[in-house]
Short mmCIF file of all heavy atoms in Angstrom, two decimals:
data_model
loop_
_atom_site.label_atom_id
_atom_site.label_comp_id
_atom_site.label_asym_id
_atom_site.label_seq_id
_atom_site.Cartn_x
_atom_site.Cartn_y
_atom_site.Cartn_z
N SER A 345 1.71 -9.52 12.70
CA SER A 345 1.76 -8.16 13.30
C SER A 345 0.82 -7.94 14.46
O SER A 345 0.44 -6.80 14.71
CB SER A 345 1.48 -7.14 12.18
OG SER A 345 0.20 -7.36 11.67
N VAL A 347 0.32 -7.89 18.37
CA VAL A 347 1.11 -7.85 19.61
C VAL A 347 0.74 -9.02 20.53
O VAL A 347 1.61 -9.77 20.98
CB VAL A 347 0.93 -6.51 20.32
CG1 VAL A 347 1.51 -6.55 21.73
CG2 VAL A 347 1.55 -5.39 19.52
N THR A 385 7.62 -0.81 12.91
CA THR A 385 6.49 -0.48 13.78
C THR A 385 6.94 0.35 15.00
O THR A 385 8.09 0.23 15.44
CB THR A 385 5.86 -1.78 14.30
OG1 THR A 385 4.95 -1.47 15.34
CG2 THR A 385 6.89 -2.75 14.84
N ALA A 386 5.98 1.07 15.54
CA ALA A 386 6.22 1.78 16.80
C ALA A 386 6.54 0.81 17.94
O ALA A 386 7.09 1.23 18.95
CB ALA A 386 4.97 2.62 17.16
N ALA A 387 6.18 -0.45 17.75
CA ALA A 387 6.41 -1.44 18.81
C ALA A 387 7.91 -1.67 19.07
O ALA A 387 8.25 -2.27 20.07
CB ALA A 387 5.73 -2.76 18.48
N ASN A 407 7.41 -6.76 23.55
CA ASN A 407 6.75 -7.98 23.09
C ASN A 407 7.52 -8.57 21.91
O ASN A 407 8.31 -7.88 21.27
CB ASN A 407 5.28 -7.69 22.71
CG ASN A 407 5.20 -6.51 21.76
OD1 ASN A 407 5.72 -6.58 20.65
ND2 ASN A 407 4.55 -5.43 22.21
N TYR A 409 6.66 -9.31 18.92
CA TYR A 409 6.43 -8.64 17.62
C TYR A 409 7.42 -7.48 17.46
O TYR A 409 8.14 -7.43 16.45
CB TYR A 409 4.98 -8.12 17.55
CG TYR A 409 4.75 -7.21 16.38
CD1 TYR A 409 5.04 -7.62 15.08
CD2 TYR A 409 4.23 -5.92 16.56
CE1 TYR A 409 4.83 -6.77 14.00
CE2 TYR A 409 4.03 -5.07 15.49
CZ TYR A 409 4.32 -5.52 14.20
OH TYR A 409 4.11 -4.66 13.16
N GLY A 410 7.46 -6.61 18.44
CA GLY A 410 8.40 -5.46 18.34
C GLY A 410 9.84 -5.94 18.28
O GLY A 410 10.65 -5.39 17.52
N TYR A 436 5.69 2.47 11.27
CA TYR A 436 4.33 3.02 11.30
C TYR A 436 3.86 3.13 12.73
O TYR A 436 4.11 2.23 13.56
CB TYR A 436 3.32 2.11 10.60
CG TYR A 436 3.75 1.50 9.30
CD1 TYR A 436 3.29 0.23 8.94
CD2 TYR A 436 4.58 2.15 8.42
CE1 TYR A 436 3.62 -0.36 7.74
CE2 TYR A 436 4.95 1.60 7.21
CZ TYR A 436 4.49 0.33 6.89
OH TYR A 436 4.85 -0.26 5.69
N PHE A 437 3.13 4.16 13.00
CA PHE A 437 2.39 4.22 14.26
C PHE A 437 1.03 3.52 13.99
O PHE A 437 1.08 2.35 13.60
CB PHE A 437 2.37 5.65 14.79
CG PHE A 437 3.69 5.93 15.51
CD1 PHE A 437 4.89 5.84 14.80
CD2 PHE A 437 3.74 6.15 16.85
CE1 PHE A 437 6.13 5.99 15.43
CE2 PHE A 437 4.96 6.32 17.50
CZ PHE A 437 6.16 6.24 16.80
N ASN A 438 -0.11 4.15 14.08
CA ASN A 438 -1.33 3.34 13.88
C ASN A 438 -1.91 3.56 12.48
O ASN A 438 -2.57 4.58 12.22
CB ASN A 438 -2.37 3.68 14.97
CG ASN A 438 -1.96 3.05 16.28
OD1 ASN A 438 -0.90 3.36 16.83
ND2 ASN A 438 -2.77 2.13 16.79
N ALA A 439 -1.63 2.59 11.60
CA ALA A 439 -2.16 2.66 10.21
C ALA A 439 -3.69 2.63 10.25
O ALA A 439 -4.28 1.84 10.99
CB ALA A 439 -1.62 1.52 9.42
N THR A 456 -8.41 -7.12 15.38
CA THR A 456 -8.09 -6.68 16.74
C THR A 456 -7.95 -5.18 16.81
O THR A 456 -7.84 -4.64 17.92
CB THR A 456 -6.75 -7.30 17.20
OG1 THR A 456 -5.70 -6.77 16.37
CG2 THR A 456 -6.73 -8.82 17.15
N HIS A 457 -7.91 -4.48 15.69
CA HIS A 457 -7.59 -3.05 15.72
C HIS A 457 -8.79 -2.21 16.06
O HIS A 457 -9.94 -2.58 15.78
CB HIS A 457 -7.01 -2.62 14.35
CG HIS A 457 -5.66 -3.21 14.11
ND1 HIS A 457 -5.45 -4.25 13.22
CD2 HIS A 457 -4.46 -2.95 14.66
CE1 HIS A 457 -4.17 -4.57 13.24
NE2 HIS A 457 -3.54 -3.79 14.12
N LEU A 458 -8.50 -1.06 16.65
CA LEU A 458 -9.57 -0.25 17.21
C LEU A 458 -10.57 0.28 16.16
O LEU A 458 -11.77 0.07 16.31
CB LEU A 458 -8.96 0.95 17.99
CG LEU A 458 -10.03 1.87 18.59
CD1 LEU A 458 -10.82 1.15 19.67
CD2 LEU A 458 -9.37 3.13 19.16
N ILE A 459 -10.08 0.96 15.13
CA ILE A 459 -11.01 1.64 14.24
C ILE A 459 -11.96 0.64 13.54
O ILE A 459 -13.17 0.84 13.57
CB ILE A 459 -10.29 2.58 13.26
CG1 ILE A 459 -9.71 3.78 14.06
CG2 ILE A 459 -11.22 3.07 12.14
CD1 ILE A 459 -8.88 4.77 13.25
N PRO A 460 -11.44 -0.46 12.98
CA PRO A 460 -12.39 -1.43 12.39
C PRO A 460 -13.39 -1.97 13.42
O PRO A 460 -14.58 -2.13 13.11
CB PRO A 460 -11.51 -2.57 11.87
CG PRO A 460 -10.15 -1.96 11.79
CD PRO A 460 -10.05 -0.85 12.75
N ASN A 461 -12.91 -2.21 14.64
CA ASN A 461 -13.86 -2.74 15.64
C ASN A 461 -14.90 -1.71 16.04
O ASN A 461 -16.08 -2.06 16.26
CB ASN A 461 -13.09 -3.23 16.88
CG ASN A 461 -12.44 -4.59 16.64
OD1 ASN A 461 -12.77 -5.27 15.67
ND2 ASN A 461 -11.51 -4.96 17.49
N VAL A 462 -14.51 -0.47 16.08
CA VAL A 462 -15.47 0.60 16.40
C VAL A 462 -16.54 0.68 15.26
O VAL A 462 -17.75 0.79 15.51
CB VAL A 462 -14.76 1.96 16.56
CG1 VAL A 462 -15.72 3.10 16.54
CG2 VAL A 462 -13.92 1.96 17.84
N LEU A 473 -18.16 -3.78 21.26
CA LEU A 473 -16.84 -3.17 21.38
C LEU A 473 -16.40 -3.13 22.84
O LEU A 473 -17.18 -2.74 23.72
CB LEU A 473 -16.88 -1.73 20.82
CG LEU A 473 -15.57 -0.96 20.95
CD1 LEU A 473 -14.52 -1.54 20.02
CD2 LEU A 473 -15.78 0.52 20.70
N LYS A 474 -15.18 -3.53 23.05
CA LYS A 474 -14.61 -3.40 24.41
C LYS A 474 -13.55 -2.31 24.37
O LYS A 474 -12.70 -2.28 23.48
CB LYS A 474 -13.94 -4.72 24.81
CG LYS A 474 -14.92 -5.84 25.13
CD LYS A 474 -14.15 -7.01 25.75
CE LYS A 474 -15.03 -8.01 26.42
NZ LYS A 474 -16.01 -8.67 25.53
N VAL A 475 -13.61 -1.43 25.36
CA VAL A 475 -12.58 -0.42 25.52
C VAL A 475 -11.61 -0.98 26.58
O VAL A 475 -11.98 -1.16 27.74
CB VAL A 475 -13.19 0.93 26.00
CG1 VAL A 475 -12.10 1.89 26.41
CG2 VAL A 475 -14.07 1.51 24.91
N PHE A 476 -10.38 -1.22 26.12
CA PHE A 476 -9.43 -1.91 27.01
C PHE A 476 -8.77 -0.92 27.97
O PHE A 476 -7.71 -0.39 27.67
CB PHE A 476 -8.37 -2.65 26.18
CG PHE A 476 -8.93 -3.75 25.31
CD1 PHE A 476 -8.60 -3.83 23.98
CD2 PHE A 476 -9.83 -4.67 25.83
CE1 PHE A 476 -9.13 -4.84 23.16
CE2 PHE A 476 -10.36 -5.69 25.03
CZ PHE A 476 -10.00 -5.77 23.70
N GLY A 477 -9.41 -0.68 29.06
CA GLY A 477 -8.86 0.17 30.13
C GLY A 477 -9.26 1.60 30.02
O GLY A 477 -9.18 2.21 28.95
N TYR A 480 -5.85 4.74 32.44
CA TYR A 480 -4.50 5.13 32.05
C TYR A 480 -4.22 6.59 32.40
O TYR A 480 -5.18 7.39 32.48
CB TYR A 480 -4.32 4.94 30.52
CG TYR A 480 -4.16 3.51 30.09
CD1 TYR A 480 -5.26 2.77 29.65
CD2 TYR A 480 -2.91 2.89 30.11
CE1 TYR A 480 -5.11 1.43 29.23
CE2 TYR A 480 -2.76 1.56 29.72
CZ TYR A 480 -3.88 0.85 29.28
OH TYR A 480 -3.73 -0.46 28.88
N THR A 486 -8.31 6.69 28.64
CA THR A 486 -8.14 5.65 27.64
C THR A 486 -6.84 5.89 26.84
O THR A 486 -6.35 7.01 26.82
CB THR A 486 -9.35 5.57 26.69
OG1 THR A 486 -9.49 6.79 25.95
CG2 THR A 486 -10.62 5.30 27.46
N CYS A 487 -6.38 4.86 26.15
CA CYS A 487 -5.08 4.95 25.48
C CYS A 487 -5.09 5.94 24.32
O CYS A 487 -6.09 6.05 23.61
CB CYS A 487 -4.67 3.57 24.94
SG CYS A 487 -4.17 2.41 26.18
N VAL A 488 -3.97 6.57 24.15
CA VAL A 488 -3.81 7.58 23.09
C VAL A 488 -2.90 7.01 21.99
O VAL A 488 -1.84 6.44 22.27
CB VAL A 488 -3.23 8.87 23.69
CG1 VAL A 488 -2.78 9.83 22.59
CG2 VAL A 488 -4.24 9.53 24.60
N ARG A 489 -3.35 7.15 20.72
CA ARG A 489 -2.56 6.66 19.59
C ARG A 489 -2.52 7.72 18.49
O ARG A 489 -3.39 8.60 18.38
CB ARG A 489 -3.18 5.37 19.01
CG ARG A 489 -3.14 4.18 19.96
CD ARG A 489 -1.71 3.64 20.13
NE ARG A 489 -1.64 2.48 20.96
CZ ARG A 489 -1.52 2.50 22.29
NH1 ARG A 489 -1.45 3.65 22.93
NH2 ARG A 489 -1.43 1.39 22.97
N TYR A 491 -2.90 8.17 14.65
CA TYR A 491 -3.46 7.46 13.48
C TYR A 491 -2.97 8.12 12.19
O TYR A 491 -3.08 9.32 12.01
CB TYR A 491 -4.99 7.46 13.58
CG TYR A 491 -5.46 6.66 14.77
CD1 TYR A 491 -5.68 7.28 16.02
CD2 TYR A 491 -5.58 5.28 14.71
CE1 TYR A 491 -6.03 6.51 17.14
CE2 TYR A 491 -5.93 4.53 15.81
CZ TYR A 491 -6.15 5.15 17.01
OH TYR A 491 -6.52 4.40 18.12
N VAL A 527 -8.94 6.52 22.80
CA VAL A 527 -9.97 5.54 22.35
C VAL A 527 -11.35 6.21 22.38
O VAL A 527 -12.16 6.07 21.45
CB VAL A 527 -9.92 4.27 23.23
CG1 VAL A 527 -11.07 3.35 22.90
CG2 VAL A 527 -8.59 3.56 23.05
N ARG A 550 -5.55 -4.29 28.12
CA ARG A 550 -4.98 -5.37 27.29
C ARG A 550 -3.48 -5.41 27.54
O ARG A 550 -2.80 -4.38 27.58
CB ARG A 550 -5.27 -5.02 25.82
CG ARG A 550 -4.99 -6.11 24.84
CD ARG A 550 -5.51 -5.77 23.45
NE ARG A 550 -4.75 -4.69 22.80
CZ ARG A 550 -4.94 -4.28 21.56
NH1 ARG A 550 -5.92 -4.84 20.83
NH2 ARG A 550 -4.22 -3.32 21.04
N GLY A 552 0.35 -5.41 27.24
CA GLY A 552 1.30 -4.86 26.27
C GLY A 552 0.91 -3.54 25.68
O GLY A 552 1.60 -3.06 24.75
N ASP A 553 -0.17 -2.91 26.09
CA ASP A 553 -0.60 -1.61 25.55
C ASP A 553 0.07 -0.46 26.31
O ASP A 553 -0.27 -0.20 27.48
CB ASP A 553 -2.12 -1.45 25.69
CG ASP A 553 -2.88 -2.07 24.57
OD1 ASP A 553 -2.27 -2.38 23.50
OD2 ASP A 553 -4.12 -2.24 24.71
N PRO A 554 0.96 0.30 25.66
CA PRO A 554 1.45 1.54 26.30
C PRO A 554 0.32 2.57 26.38
O PRO A 554 -0.59 2.54 25.52
CB PRO A 554 2.55 2.02 25.37
CG PRO A 554 2.83 0.92 24.42
CD PRO A 554 1.59 0.07 24.35
N ALA A 555 0.37 3.48 27.35
CA ALA A 555 -0.71 4.46 27.51
C ALA A 555 -0.79 5.38 26.31
O ALA A 555 -1.89 5.73 25.84
CB ALA A 555 -0.45 5.30 28.77
N LEU A 557 1.19 6.59 22.42
CA LEU A 557 2.22 6.43 21.40
C LEU A 557 2.00 7.49 20.35
O LEU A 557 1.02 7.43 19.58
CB LEU A 557 2.13 5.06 20.71
CG LEU A 557 2.59 3.82 21.48
CD1 LEU A 557 2.27 2.56 20.67
CD2 LEU A 557 4.10 3.89 21.71
N1 LIG B 1476 -8.52 -1.03 21.61
C1 LIG B 1476 -9.70 -1.13 22.30
N2 LIG B 1476 -10.63 -2.02 21.82
C2 LIG B 1476 -10.45 -2.76 20.70
C3 LIG B 1476 -9.22 -2.62 20.00
C4 LIG B 1476 -8.28 -1.74 20.49
O1 LIG B 1476 -9.91 -0.49 23.33
O2 LIG B 1476 -11.32 -3.55 20.29
C5 LIG B 1476 -7.52 -0.04 22.10
C6 LIG B 1476 -6.19 -0.70 22.41
O3 LIG B 1476 -6.20 -1.16 23.74
C7 LIG B 1476 -5.23 0.44 22.16
C8 LIG B 1476 -5.91 1.26 21.04
O4 LIG B 1476 -7.29 0.87 21.07
O5 LIG B 1476 -5.15 1.23 23.29
C9 LIG B 1476 -5.35 0.98 19.66
O6 LIG B 1476 -5.27 -0.41 19.50
P1 LIG B 1476 -5.01 -1.11 18.12
O7 LIG B 1476 -5.08 -2.59 18.30
O8 LIG B 1476 -5.85 -0.53 17.05
O9 LIG B 1476 -3.53 -0.67 17.77
P2 LIG B 1476 -2.21 -0.82 18.67
O10 LIG B 1476 -1.92 0.57 19.16
O11 LIG B 1476 -2.28 -1.90 19.67
O12 LIG B 1476 -1.20 -1.32 17.58
C10 LIG B 1476 -0.34 -0.48 16.95
C11 LIG B 1476 0.12 -1.15 15.67
C12 LIG B 1476 0.99 -2.29 15.99
C13 LIG B 1476 2.08 -1.90 16.95
C14 LIG B 1476 1.48 -1.33 18.21
C15 LIG B 1476 2.54 -0.89 19.19
O13 LIG B 1476 -1.01 -1.60 14.91
O14 LIG B 1476 1.64 -2.73 14.79
O15 LIG B 1476 0.70 -0.21 17.87
O16 LIG B 1476 1.99 -0.86 20.51
F1 LIG B 1476 2.80 -2.97 17.31
#
Side-chain angles (χ1 to χ4, degrees):
S345 61
V347 169
T385 168
N407 51 63
Y409 169 56
Y436 317 148
F437 279 60
N438 286 61
T456 64
H457 292 105
L458 179 65
I459 291 177
N461 282 347
V462 166
L473 177 71
K474 288 189 165 61
V475 170
F476 298 131
Y480 284 96
T486 63
C487 287
V488 168
R489 294 290 183 271
Y491 295 92
V527 172
R550 191 171 70 175
D553 275 344
L557 285 174

